[in-house]
Amino acid sequence: MKTFQKVMVYVEGKGLKKRSILFDDKIKKIVKGKGVSKYAEKIELPKGAIVLPGFIDQHIHGAGGSDGMDGTLEDVATIAKTIASEGTTSFLVTTMTQSPENITKALSAVKEYREKNSSLGAKVVGVHLEGPFIAAAFKGAQPLEYVAVPDVKVFEEYNKASGDSIRIVTLAPEVAGAEELIRYLAKKGIVASIGHTGAKYPNVEKAVELGAKNVTHTFNAQSALHHREIGTVGSALYLDELNCELIADTIHVSVPAMKLLTKVKGADKVTLITDAMRAKGLPDGESELGGQKVFVKDGEARLEDGTLAGSVLKMNVAVKNMVEKVGIPFTQAVDYATINPARMLKIDKQTGSIKKGKNADFTVINKDFDVLMTIRDGEIIYKA
């Protein structure tokens, strides 16, 4: 048993409060004062430390020199351990548009990794299948030759390879076959996410009717808002049913655009993602994404033709940007990285907030948003 004693804690439903927490792998008690077991191991924190729920990244490709598409247990483990340093305790290994063989290899590695139930680093809670069911004209940094038509049978094969762990599927709803796949995913409780798409409002409206719930990296690689056709961006802003992913690095999306999104969408309909690639956590220089050269400089990752190719964003920095640059209240910005993705992934009964009975998943930061400690299932997985 472990304890934090008389520290600032973001308690579910109460906000920031000075509290003591008793926990093992689950949260046992949250009390005022020091009313927890005197036999518990006390975890000392510096003055000014704030205990938050562990961050959840539902869209991340890689970090620390590894990518989920590398398709090995070692690479999944590297990502898990690297992102623990930014306060992330749960994540979805995110694939990309590639050959069926490479996608299957990556999914099989996730299946095997999850079966091992590794306690190192952040927990892999499943897969975000980003592509190959996208629109060629909005492929972004995804290889054109592997873009495929949405197909339920193909998806079933991928999901089987993953051990039935695919939680989100990014697709273009205007492409033939997409409506059938969205309907199927909704029935299975898997999130259909609108992305890499030229969809117009009627396409998005229909997708929502069929069960689509999420928009992949809102504003990026999708049809823009126009006054005679509001496109995917306008539809994402307008339709209350849609949750909006956001890469809050101020590179992929400008600060005014982030302000617009958060002004229009409900506080429970924005989810921070990093969409990070293997170069995250490494020095600037040449990297790789899906067999394509990527050049990283000053926090920007681009293909040779200048196309943005994922990010090197850290989740604690995303939260910081939302507070300091966008002007979002602190606890609301934290929600964007914790309870909102937890609800989307249907793991909110286990994690995503600090409440008795939930997993002991914590991120400890200071006033500058630096991560001091990350705890997953009651065990320290990172300490600065």
Side-chain angles (χ1 to χ4, degrees):
M1 207 71 76
K2 301 182 181 72
T3 180
F4 292 121
Q5 292 194 3
K6 297 186 74 173
V7 295
M8 290 303 296
V9 181
Y10 179 19
V11 183
E12 180 183 294
K14 298 186 187 323
L16 284 171
K17 300 290 180 182
K18 185 157 277 193
R19 293 289 186 267
S20 296
I21 309 175
L22 181 69
F23 61 94
D24 46 24
D25 61 326
K26 306 285 185 188
I27 299 169
K28 300 297 184 183
K29 284 184 183 179
I30 304 172
V31 299
K32 295 180 182 178
K34 295 183 179 179
V36 292
S37 173
K38 63 182 180 180
Y39 301 108
E41 174 192 349
K42 183 180 178 184
I43 298 176
E44 298 284 354
L45 296 179
K47 187 177 179 181
I50 306 170
V51 179
L52 305 175
F55 299 144
I56 301 168
D57 196 345
Q58 70 179 39
H59 188 155
I60 172 172
H61 296 272
S66 291
D67 189 293
M69 289 301 296
D70 292 340
T72 72
L73 297 180
E74 292 74 21
D75 287 297
V76 176
T78 295
I79 299 167
K81 286 184 277 190
T82 301
I83 65 176
S85 66
E86 62 200 60
T88 298
T89 54
S90 303
F91 72 108
L92 294 184
V93 175
T94 304
T95 61
M96 67 177 294
T97 300
Q98 256 291 340
S99 69
E101 294 77 18
N102 285 347
I103 292 173
T104 300
K105 181 186 176 187
L107 297 174
S108 298
V110 172
K111 176 179 183 289
E112 190 177 348
Y113 185 86
R114 279 167 52 82
E115 287 171 349
K116 283 185 60 175
N117 200 26
S118 173
S119 60
L120 299 175
K123 183 178 184 178
V124 176
V125 294
V127 171
H128 181 154
L129 191 76
E130 188 185 14
F133 309 129
I134 62 175
F138 289 82
K139 64 181 181 59
Q142 313 246 2
L144 177 62
E145 62 266 37
Y146 297 119
V147 171
V149 173
D151 187 293
V152 171
K153 287 188 177 178
V154 172
F155 171 77
E156 287 177 332
E157 290 170 5
Y158 285 151
N159 202 25
K160 183 179 179 182
S162 77
D164 294 324
S165 67
I166 296 177
R167 300 287 177 259
I168 300 178
V169 179
T170 290
L171 48 76
E174 76 276 19
V175 177
E179 291 186 2
E180 182 186 0
L181 182 55
I182 293 169
R183 190 182 290 111
Y184 172 89
L185 294 171
K187 195 175 293 185
K188 294 289 185 180
I190 299 166
V191 176
S193 186
I194 298 165
H196 287 277
T197 174
K200 297 180 178 180
Y201 176 74
N203 305 123
V204 179
E205 183 182 42
K206 181 65 175 179
V208 170
E209 285 176 11
L210 294 172
K213 297 181 182 302
N214 195 60
V215 179
T216 300
H217 43 51
T218 309
F219 295 108
N220 298 117
Q222 55 197 231
S223 50
L225 187 155
H226 186 274
H227 59 282
R228 284 191 292 273
E229 169 45 59
I230 65 171
T232 303
V233 170
S235 302
L237 296 172
Y238 175 63
L239 294 169
D240 293 338
E241 298 92 336
L242 288 171
N243 178 72
C244 292
E245 291 183 355
L246 179 65
I247 309 171
D249 60 358
T250 74
I251 297 165
H252 281 77
V253 182
S254 71
V255 171
M258 289 193 278
K259 287 182 176 181
L260 172 63
L261 177 68
T262 53
K263 184 175 184 177
V264 173
K265 299 299 288 188
D268 62 340
K269 292 295 183 181
V270 177
T271 294
L272 294 177
I273 61 167
T274 65
D275 194 18
M277 54 170 293
R278 71 170 78 244
K280 174 158 70 168
L282 301 180
D284 283 0
E286 186 176 323
S287 189
E288 180 271 347
L289 180 69
Q292 306 163 105
K293 283 185 180 179
V294 175
F295 299 91
V296 181
K297 185 177 180 182
D298 300 329
E300 294 189 23
R302 295 183 181 271
L303 301 182
E304 289 182 280
D305 65 4
T307 302
L308 278 170
S311 82
V312 290
L313 178 65
K314 296 178 180 180
M315 190 61 85
N316 61 308
V317 176
V319 175
K320 179 179 183 178
N321 286 342
M322 296 307 292
V323 175
E324 296 186 351
K325 296 182 179 180
V326 182
I328 298 300
F330 177 80
T331 55
Q332 184 175 326
V334 172
D335 287 349
Y336 290 166
T338 55
I339 195 62
N340 288 3
R343 289 185 183 125
M344 181 59 57
L345 300 175
K346 298 177 182 174
I347 56 174
D348 54 302
K349 285 185 169 54
Q350 294 82 44
T351 191
S353 62
I354 296 176
K355 180 182 179 182
K356 182 181 175 181
K358 286 197 173 187
N359 294 349
D361 294 343
F362 307 116
T363 298
V364 184
I365 65 169
N366 62 19
K367 64 180 177 60
D368 297 317
F369 294 83
D370 300 317
V371 176
L372 307 176
M373 185 181 296
T374 308
I375 293 176
R376 171 197 151 193
D377 294 325
E379 298 297 328
I380 297 172
I381 57 172
Y382 170 78
K383 189 173 182 181

